[in-house]
Amino acid sequence: MEIFHISAECYPVAKVGGLADVVGALPKYQNKAGHLARVVVPCYDTKFKRDNEFECVHWGHIKLGNFNFPFNILKEVNNILGFELYLVEINELFDRKEVYGYQDDIERFIAFQIATLDWIINRENIPDVINCHDHQTGLIPFMMLYCHKYQKLINTPSIITIHNGLYQGRFGFDKLYYLPEFDLAHVKVLEWDNCINSLAVAVKCAWAVTTVSPNYLNEINYSANGLESLFNMVRYKSKGILNGIDIEVWDPATDGMLEKNYSIINYEIGKQENKEKLCNLFNLDPTKPLFSFIGRLLEEKGGDLLPQAAAIALSENYQQINILILGSGNTAIEKQLNSLLQDYKGNYNTFIGYNEELAHLIYAGSDFLLMPSRVEPCGLNQMYSLRYGTIPIVRRTGGLKDTVIDFGDDGNGICHDQASVGDICYSIQRAFALYDDKKQLNTIRLRGMNIDHSWERVCQKYIEMYKLIINKNES
Ligand code: ADP
């Protein structure tokens, strides 16, 4: 089967969060399973782009309203990622350091989607399936159905995979003229709440909708930033498929970013050495339990709860625990977190920013990983931490509910129900008590390390879903 994955992110080409990890792994495992999966992402000014070799396989011009942009399709020549990688080069729009956060993001990603489809219809073969990821690629299913120039793709199944339904790519009808020509009788399909809503468009037009965990699929029926009724309407073509993790990248036995590699045989020593390295770097006490947080410092991640929860937990357990925060996002939260540095010196530290290497070391060297998320469509951090023998402390939501079971129920982690300071602190207290019971601590760690969250198993579910929609179309 020939599959195109179209996305704004792909690890290690360009990463902001979990979307990149999924798009950088799922296609690799689909290829290993005998399919031909390709990935198409915009060509940002990233290290990966600068360090690798590309050839131009197609070029053209796209029209975006009154503007014309030349574009090139660059293919990475050595297939180093385990799949064919194509970058859509539109220099005026994407030759920048960051993936998102620019005023013209709407224009950038519409241009990306048009250039991608222009190229695909010019190729010899039409793919069997086009798998779009998140709202940045959400107009593609519409364009494939209704834009005159893409009529060649009208019978090609499109899938939208929702990694995060909070972000929807809304814009006004004043930008309608950016889209390639289509029969205006279909204009209503673009509308949701008086706007063009890219995610809603994808959900309406795609042949199938997938979310990145089964529980998230249930949740978006009652909480989806205004799209709840739409998700209810398309339930018949929706499926929740729990993300996998790339066990070639995330393996404590081979991970090149760790101080010491380890497996289920020597994890106690291995974790301790990584902890010592971390504690050295951040002036923490390696004899005390280490609670960490990795992620975007936003309300959806419960980031706003962290400063108060950390202050309370550190005061109640004065010099008995360590807390380490890695992340960036809301500047007020960043400031509040840094304001604790002076008071809890020696037991608390932060790294405000993005650091892939440090994240790996934290998964390995921590005892507990905090995830007090309000919204967590799947969450990869808890799966990485389980694999690295670090016990996740999670709020029961989204994919966290699908993957973490409280140790009180013979599970692999610590769970709480409310995204509140109180619940976080109570969980930290339970973890603190557990830390002293080494036998039980190690039983739980091993349970986590032995779970198979690999893509090898999971990628089959995507293939089955593709086959189902292809067969339905043919019958
Ligand atoms: P989301 O995509 O919502 O941010 P996920 O749990 O799905 O959350 O994925 C987060 C990914 O981003 C993980 O690979 C995590 O290690 C990584 N990550 C998040 N913040 C940082 C950071 N500040 N530094 C390094 N890695 C980070």
Side-chain angles (χ1 to χ4, degrees), residues 14 44-46 50 94-100 102 108:
Y44 312 100
D45 177 18
T46 64
R50 290 190 295 273
F94 286 104
D95 188 21
R96 308 177 192 176
K97 299 262 183 271
E98 303 300 328
V99 173
Y100 316 113
Y102 299 100
R108 295 168 78 222

Side-chain angles (χ1 to χ4, degrees), residues 15 17-18 21 295-296 301 326-327 353-355 359 363 379-381 384:
K15 172 168 170 176
D21 289 0
R296 294 176 293 124
K301 297 284 180 191
L326 163 62
Y354 187 93
N355 188 322
Y363 288 120
L380 295 170
N381 300 14
Y384 298 146

Side-chain angles (χ1 to χ4, degrees), residues 9 11 15-22 134 163-164 167 212 243 250 293-298 300-301 325-328 351-360 362-363 371 373 375-384 400:
E9 300 179 37
Y11 179 81
K15 172 168 170 176
V16 175
L19 169 63
D21 289 0
V22 172
D134 274 352
H163 299 255
N164 196 331
Y167 304 97
V212 287
N243 278 340
W250 297 95
F293 172 92
I294 299 172
R296 294 176 293 124
L297 292 170
L298 301 176
E300 72 181 268
K301 297 284 180 191
I325 311 276
L326 163 62
S328 62
F351 183 104
I352 302 298
Y354 187 93
N355 188 322
E356 189 75 23
E357 212 157 307
L358 179 57
H360 284 243
I362 293 178
Y363 288 120
M371 295 186 76
S373 309
V375 181
E376 198 62 81
C378 176
L380 295 170
N381 300 14
Q382 80 281 14
M383 296 200 248
Y384 298 146
L400 297 175

Side-chain angles (χ1 to χ4, degrees), residues 117 139-155 179-190 201 204-207:
L117 288 185
L139 298 173
I140 285 178
F142 173 87
M143 295 199 281
M144 288 167 66
L145 286 180
Y146 300 118
C147 288
H148 303 316
K149 65 172 170 168
Y150 304 131
Q151 283 305 289
K152 231 174 146 179
L153 297 174
I154 199 163
N155 288 317
L179 301 190
E181 205 176 301
F182 65 95
D183 183 349
L184 280 175
H186 302 297
V187 73
K188 197 79 186 115
V189 179
L190 294 169
V201 171
K204 290 182 197 180
C205 298
W207 295 31

Side-chain angles (χ1 to χ4, degrees), residues 22 238 286 451:
V22 172
S238 308
I451 297 173

